[in-house]
Amino acid sequence: MLNHRWAAQLLHRPDGLDAGEIVRHLLAVQAQDVTAALLAFRARSASLGAGDVLAAWHGREIVRTWGPRGTLHFVHVEDLPWLLALTGRIGLAGSLRRLAQEGVKGDDLLKLIDYALAGQGPLTKAELRTRLAGRADGQGIVHLVDLAAAHGLALLGPPRGGKPTYVHAADWLGAPIAFEPDRDRALAELARRYLRAHAPATAADLAAWTRLPLGDARTALRLIADDLDESPDGTVRLRTAPTERKPPTVRLAPAFDEYLLGWADRTPILDEPHRREVLPGGGILRPVVLSGGVIKGTWSRKGTSASVHLFEPVDQNQIEAETADVSRFLTS
């Protein structure tokens, strides 16, 4: 199973894929922490640098927005209409509740944030606060942007001066995002694309990854049933699944990596005695050391330098090669 998962996640680092192609294959790359998201590309490419990923973002090939689980992700621009039609409003109820808690009220909130963003290009939170003329402050501003994003009107732009920016989708992409109206078509595409990057998997895995109802996940898989092979353990994969790849000795995966977040059950790759070291609570998921496809330690970064904390012995030469590659990636 781990050989299939490793290949599906591109952790064998196939040659020739650019940043956009990696995002398209993975479907979405969790990106609430931008540096961690950039390092997910490093784990899957021996040739890309951080600058290549940022160029794809600035070039509008990939975008950062709220996607699966209502969490910030990098998504390929061509996948926005159908993916966000399914997942774009998952966190909306929470944002509306937080808006009320922040004192941001009125029946014109969507119109308000649409007007504040339109025609301005990327704005920092401070700049957007001025445009909102006192109607919102602090996290209320972010939740207003989330409201606009849920309607295909807003995205997060590249950081400016170390601060996040928010931009009208029509300014950034040339038009608002027009959501796919055919839900079955979107669900079928979701099932195919999820399994391409996460096989073998179950409907429960798909539901956990998206936070869609389990019934929707089952429907999605049923819509492409003719394209699937089912294993005795109940998992499925596409008949055109990638060839198995034996996990290399070591790979440093960043915080919130898809290899850990892509399935409901982490027990195949994480031994219970080390769970708290990887998942200490509070929504934290630490960067991990993978050896043979399973978690053998955690690692941390200070600037462009990486240091490793191992639970079990791992080949030191491989560790040194990986930590050196982290520095190479972040400075290129």
Side-chain angles (χ1 to χ4, degrees), residues 3-329:
N3 289 358
H4 287 294
R5 184 181 291 198
W6 195 265
Q9 279 288 295
L10 303 181
L11 286 166
H12 59 296
R13 303 178 104 185
D15 294 333
L17 295 182
D18 63 25
E21 290 167 331
I22 289 174
V23 173
R24 287 220 73 189
H25 178 92
L26 296 178
L27 182 51
V29 175
Q30 187 152 332
Q32 80 268 40
D33 181 322
V34 171
T35 301
L38 296 178
L39 287 165
F41 292 84
R42 186 216 68 85
R44 292 162 173 86
S45 172
S47 58
L48 288 177
D52 299 312
V53 184
L54 293 172
W57 188 5
H58 283 270
R60 298 159 171 79
E61 183 181 7
I62 62 176
V63 300
R64 186 173 177 233
T65 191
W66 289 271
R69 303 181 301 283
T71 303
L72 289 171
H73 284 74
F74 281 130
V75 178
H76 196 280
V77 66
E78 294 179 5
D79 293 328
L80 292 171
W82 68 265
L83 181 60
L84 297 191
L86 297 171
T87 68
R89 299 193 181 187
I90 285 175
L92 182 57
S95 285
L96 290 172
R97 182 174 63 253
R98 289 295 305 277
L99 282 168
Q101 292 171 350
E102 295 283 339
V104 185
K105 300 177 181 178
D107 57 8
D108 64 338
L109 295 184
L110 184 60
K111 182 178 179 181
L112 171 69
I113 186 62
D114 185 16
Y115 174 79
L117 287 169
Q120 302 302 304
L123 298 173
T124 65
K125 186 190 290 187
E127 291 166 342
L128 188 50
R129 180 178 182 275
T130 299
R131 291 279 299 167
L132 290 167
R135 291 286 302 276
D137 200 359
Q139 284 300 108
I141 295 172
V142 177
H143 291 297
L144 269 179
V145 178
D146 190 5
L147 173 66
H151 291 81
L153 298 175
L155 302 163
L156 277 84
R160 176 156 37 91
K163 298 181 182 298
T165 66
Y166 309 94
V167 63
H168 200 285
D171 289 351
W172 196 246
L173 303 177
I177 301 164
F179 291 163
E180 167 61 56
D182 186 332
R183 187 169 180 81
D184 280 356
R185 182 177 177 181
L187 284 170
E189 183 68 6
L190 173 67
R192 284 193 196 90
R193 299 287 297 283
Y194 172 78
L195 287 176
R196 187 171 74 171
H198 300 87
T202 65
D205 292 321
L206 177 55
W209 186 78
T210 56
R211 209 193 294 167
L212 289 172
L214 182 58
D216 281 353
R218 288 172 173 159
T219 297
L221 294 178
R222 186 170 62 249
L223 287 167
I224 63 165
D226 291 344
D227 299 330
L228 302 181
D229 285 327
E230 184 171 356
S231 298
D233 63 1
T235 61
V236 296
R237 57 178 176 164
L238 294 170
R239 289 182 181 148
T240 56
T243 304
E244 289 186 59
R245 299 281 183 166
K246 185 177 180 180
T249 304
V250 172
R251 184 75 75 233
L252 298 187
F256 308 107
D257 192 82
E258 278 294 300
Y259 192 70
L260 281 77
L261 285 172
W263 292 263
D265 182 11
R266 298 188 182 103
T267 56
I269 63 170
L270 177 59
D271 290 339
E272 184 60 33
H274 302 304
R275 176 173 292 274
R276 295 294 294 180
E277 294 174 84
V278 175
L279 302 160
I284 301 300
L285 199 161
R286 289 182 173 138
V288 296
V289 181
L290 300 171
S291 180
V294 299
I295 296 172
K296 296 293 183 70
T298 61
W299 64 282
S300 59
R301 179 185 59 83
K302 185 174 183 180
T304 61
S305 297
S307 58
V308 170
H309 169 68
L310 296 175
F311 312 145
E312 303 175 30
V314 172
D315 184 277
Q316 190 60 35
N317 290 332
Q318 291 278 338
I319 290 287
E320 291 175 2
E322 279 286 284
T323 56
D325 195 61
V326 168
S327 296
R328 180 226 30 112
F329 177 87

